[in-house]
Every structure is written in structure tokens, then in C-alpha cells.
Amino acid sequence: MKNFKYTIIALGLVAFGCDGTYTDDIVAVAPGPDEVAPSVVINFPLEGTLIRVPEETTTLNINFEVSDDIELESIVVRLNGTEIFQASEFLDYRRLVKTYSHEQLGNGEHVLTIEAKDLSGKSTTETVNFEKVEPYVPVYDGEIFYLPFDGEYLELVRVRNATINGSPGFADGVKGRAYRGSSSGYLTLPTDNLRNGQFSAAFWYKVNPSPDRAGILVMGPPDTANPTNQNFRNNGFRLFREAAGANQRIKLNVGNGTGENWFDGGAAADINPSLNEWVHIAISISGSNAAVYLDGEVVSQGSFAGIDWTGCDILSIGSGAPRFAGWGHLSTQSLIDELRIFNKALTQTEIQAIIDAERP
């Protein structure tokens, strides 16, 4: 690589005016002094990144960009102090965009350092701290789904990212961060492991009464007769809220395959938004009974022939959309935290144990 380069700033034929005077020439100049140290941008991992995969080791795809005002001399990437990548020749001598794959990253805290030098001896070093965490182990009997919303929409049992619709966000939660709803935001996840004969869901909810009705959790079938305003309720379930005076009332609708069953606790299922408090909500569905709990107390229950999951291939979180939109139960602007789903019908004692373990 040459250490000195010229830049052509004017190019053309030598020209003369009508009177024979000289008017133009080719000018070649050396670049200006190297005044700026290289720029190093690490795009992944970022500071504080938590890498969660089921495997004990994984491949880390390090993505970074290095540039200089004159010319790069070298780039060195170190992981936990050990050099894992080095470059001293560049197709573009001023810039390198690179994804380097480091195999066999183990659990624990890690330090990534990227150092870049230019020809004048100036150097820049950027460092990020990240962690590959132990695979999540379900805490409770029958727990098959856990979404803590701690700064990401990652379900930890299957290690799957939710599909993001609209612009939901995060807020302070019961533990760590929580899901913060927006006017059109919600999440969806596949339900291939959730459609069981017994089903329970438990989570914390801090209600925002605007809008006056909203979906919370929905696993419903497509409404082929009304695809733009779906509301077919013979299968799956719909957990939602509606205004009851100044309060918000929690309601559950469950499909048994040929019809629907309602679990509406009336005033017992009301939440007072003015209290601005976290309320624990749980639903428990078996082959013979269904119940709704607020803060560990039964607010609605009754006999039930069993849920039918036909066509229920997506779980919606934070909205009734897209499968329960016909009555306007769309995005909630409330907070949701510590969402867990079970392949069993939780008892009141089991629900209380979860509350006691997670209570803010």
C-alpha cells in the first residue's frame, strides 16, 4: 500500500484564450495533513447487549465500521483481550465495513475492543461490554412461555422474537422493564406450542383508560367472512377490557368449537385507573372450567366444555388486532409485564405464589 497519494482536482486540456493567453492546466496536489483520528463504530453487539440462545455456545456476528480522513493502516479486534481479527490491507484505504463471525462464544460477560490506526500514528479504540446469558429455565410447573419485556420483545422459553406492529415501547415495570402500549402498537407470536387442552396466562397490568376499550391477549381464528374487521369467536380466547363508568372491566370470551362462553365478573372485575397501580391478571382454562383472577382473587368463573384451538395460529399481545377487531378492541396504551403462559390450569394457590414472587 502506498503511503502517499495524489488527488486530481482539475482535469482537462490545456486551453488558451483568443489572444493566446494561458487559461487552464492540469493540477495535482497531495492530500491535506492527517488531522483526524480514525472513526470506529460498533453496530453489534451494543453496550449491554444480552445474547440469549438455547445453546451453551453460539456464533457472535461482530458488525463494525472504521473510516479515516486520509488512510487506514490497521484494524485489530479483540475479545476479552485476545486478538480475533486483524486487517492491514484494504480495498478502500479510507473505510472498512465488516461483519466478522466469531464462533464458540460461551456464557458470561464479555468485552469487545476494536482499535484502528491511521498512517500518521493516530489511533481510536472503542469498547462494548455485553453478555451471553444462561438459557432460561422455566420457574413454574407447566410454564411454556415467558416474556419479561426487559428492553426487548424476546420470548425466553423458545427464544423467539415477537413480530412488532406499530410502535410499542418500554417503561419501568414490576421487574426491570415493561411493555408500553401505543395507539397502534402490538406484538404477535406463533402459537405452535401454546394450543393445549389446558391453558393459563398470568401477567401484570397497569391500565391506561385511553382508549376506553382494548384487547389485551388474543388467540383467535381468522374471520374469513369479515377479513378486514375480524370477530369470529367460536375458537380460541379473547381477553380484553372495556369502560365501566370511570373504571375498566376485564372480560374473557372463550370458544368451544361450536359457540362461545363469556366470563364477565361485573364490578368485581373492575380496575380503577386513577389508582395507577399494577394489577395482576390471570386466566385459567381446563376441560371443564374457566376462571379470571385479579390480584389472586376469582372475579369470574364457570363450567366450560373445553377450548377449541382451530385456526388459532397467532397470539396477539397488547391488542385485539388482527383477529378481534370487530368491536373496536384494538391497541392498549397500558403497561404489561412478566407475561407467562402455562400448559395447565393454574390453581388459585399457584397464582398467588407467582404474585408473591413477583410483587413490586
Side-chain angles (χ1 to χ4, degrees):
M1 181 68 65
K2 294 181 179 179
N3 292 337
F4 190 73
K5 290 184 172 59
Y6 289 92
T7 302
I8 304 299
I9 64 172
L11 179 62
L13 296 175
V14 176
F16 295 86
C18 295
D19 59 358
T21 58
Y22 170 82
T23 61
D24 200 2
D25 199 357
I26 297 174
V27 179
V29 297
D34 191 342
E35 297 179 347
V36 181
S39 168
V40 177
V41 178
I42 302 176
N43 297 314
F44 187 85
L46 300 174
E47 181 70 24
T49 290
L50 297 179
I51 297 175
R52 302 180 188 269
V53 295
E55 298 79 18
E56 289 296 322
T57 64
T58 190
T59 297
L60 174 68
N61 293 315
I62 303 167
N63 180 264
F64 61 94
E65 179 178 344
V66 178
S67 60
D68 187 62
D69 59 335
I70 301 300
E71 183 173 352
L72 293 167
E73 180 179 73
S74 65
I75 298 171
V76 177
V77 179
R78 296 182 177 90
L79 184 64
N80 304 324
T82 300
E83 182 178 311
I84 60 173
F85 173 81
Q86 188 272 343
S88 58
E89 295 186 358
F90 309 96
L91 292 176
D92 181 345
Y93 58 88
R94 289 184 176 180
R95 183 170 181 259
L96 175 69
V97 179
K98 177 75 174 178
T99 297
Y100 174 74
S101 296
H102 174 73
E103 298 181 351
Q104 300 297 310
L105 180 76
N107 296 326
E109 298 179 350
H110 299 281
V111 180
L112 174 68
T113 302
I114 299 181
E115 180 184 15
K117 294 182 180 179
D118 63 19
L119 288 182
S120 70
K122 295 183 179 66
S123 66
T124 299
T125 301
E126 291 292 336
T127 298
V128 296
N129 297 273
F130 67 99
E131 184 177 0
K132 181 185 179 300
V133 298
E134 295 276 354
Y136 175 74
V137 177
V139 177
Y140 302 101
D141 181 42
E143 182 183 0
I144 57 174
F145 179 107
Y146 176 45
L147 214 172
F149 303 108
D150 285 337
E152 56 186 350
Y153 305 113
L154 182 68
E155 193 281 305
L156 298 186
V157 176
R158 284 285 186 95
V159 193
R160 296 188 292 192
N161 281 295
T163 298
I164 304 169
N165 301 271
S167 302
F170 298 99
D172 290 338
V174 171
K175 296 177 64 178
R177 304 292 281 167
Y179 172 90
R180 182 184 65 209
S182 65
S183 59
S184 61
Y186 65 98
L187 308 176
T188 59
L189 283 139
T191 63
D192 47 291
N193 68 318
L194 305 181
R195 302 186 300 265
N196 300 298
Q198 296 190 31
F199 179 95
S200 297
F203 58 95
W204 294 88
Y205 194 68
K206 182 180 283 190
V207 66
N208 180 341
S210 178
D212 68 349
R213 60 181 56 209
I216 303 174
L217 292 179
V218 172
M219 282 175 60
D223 188 347
T224 56
N226 195 18
T228 61
N229 208 22
Q230 299 186 50
N231 193 4
F232 187 68
R233 303 182 303 281
N234 283 3
N235 313 97
F237 77 90
R238 290 139 290 278
L239 182 67
F240 58 99
R241 62 173 177 83
E242 292 181 341
N247 294 329
Q248 284 288 318
R249 186 163 296 172
I250 304 300
K251 299 182 180 183
L252 174 66
N253 173 274
V254 190
N256 57 33
T258 58
E260 56 184 315
N261 295 79
W262 286 88
F263 300 91
D264 182 345
D270 286 355
I271 299 175
N272 183 351
S274 67
L275 297 178
N276 194 35
E277 293 178 343
W278 285 102
V279 175
H280 190 269
I281 300 176
I283 60 174
S284 178
I285 301 171
S286 72
S288 60
N289 186 272
V292 180
Y293 297 80
L294 294 188
D295 286 334
E297 299 296 328
V298 175
V299 297
S300 179
Q301 67 176 336
S303 298
F304 177 59
I307 193 167
D308 187 297
W309 292 114
T310 302
C312 301
D313 56 346
I314 60 171
L315 166 68
S316 295
I317 302 171
S319 178
R323 301 282 174 79
F324 183 50
W327 293 337
H329 296 91
L330 301 176
S331 296
T332 182
Q333 297 187 47
S334 305
L335 306 185
I336 304 172
D337 202 8
E338 299 298 300
L339 172 61
R340 302 178 192 270
I341 295 176
F342 302 81
N343 62 3
K344 61 180 290 184
L346 291 177
T347 66
Q348 188 171 23
T349 299
E350 289 172 320
I351 292 170
Q352 188 61 53
I354 295 172
I355 295 172
D356 291 342
E358 297 178 346
R359 187 186 304 276

